[in-house]
Amino acid sequence: MKTTYFPQDDILEICFSDKPIVREASQDWNINLSYAADGSLVELVILDAVKSGFMPFQSGKNQQAA
């Protein structure tokens, strides 16, 4: 499994395998699922991941020293 976050676009991409993608489906306006020919989940993409609360994230700029 490989997870990539693109902060400039607030997109979280989770890859479960390297199988070729043959079908994609939208679960909601910001969640997209990609499937292999055998029906297994290959990739999950979440748009506005932090903004929608799917990914808790704190920038180092927001953290304060104790």
Side-chain angles (χ1 to χ4, degrees):
M1 185 170 88
K2 178 183 172 187
T3 302
T4 306
Y5 178 67
F6 301 94
Q8 67 277 12
D9 299 315
D10 193 15
I11 296 173
L12 178 62
E13 181 180 271
I14 304 170
C15 295
F16 298 100
S17 77
D18 292 329
K19 294 179 183 179
I21 295 170
V22 298
R23 183 173 66 93
E24 295 183 327
S26 293
Q27 193 65 23
D28 201 353
W29 72 269
N30 65 330
I31 299 176
N32 299 303
L33 306 171
S34 300
Y35 297 94
D38 64 2
S40 64
L41 183 62
V42 175
E43 183 178 76
L44 170 68
V45 176
I46 302 174
L47 308 176
D48 287 344
V50 173
K51 184 178 177 182
S52 299
F54 285 103
M55 186 175 131
F57 178 76
Q58 289 185 344
S59 169
K61 296 176 185 176
N62 295 336
Q63 296 177 351
Q64 296 179 358

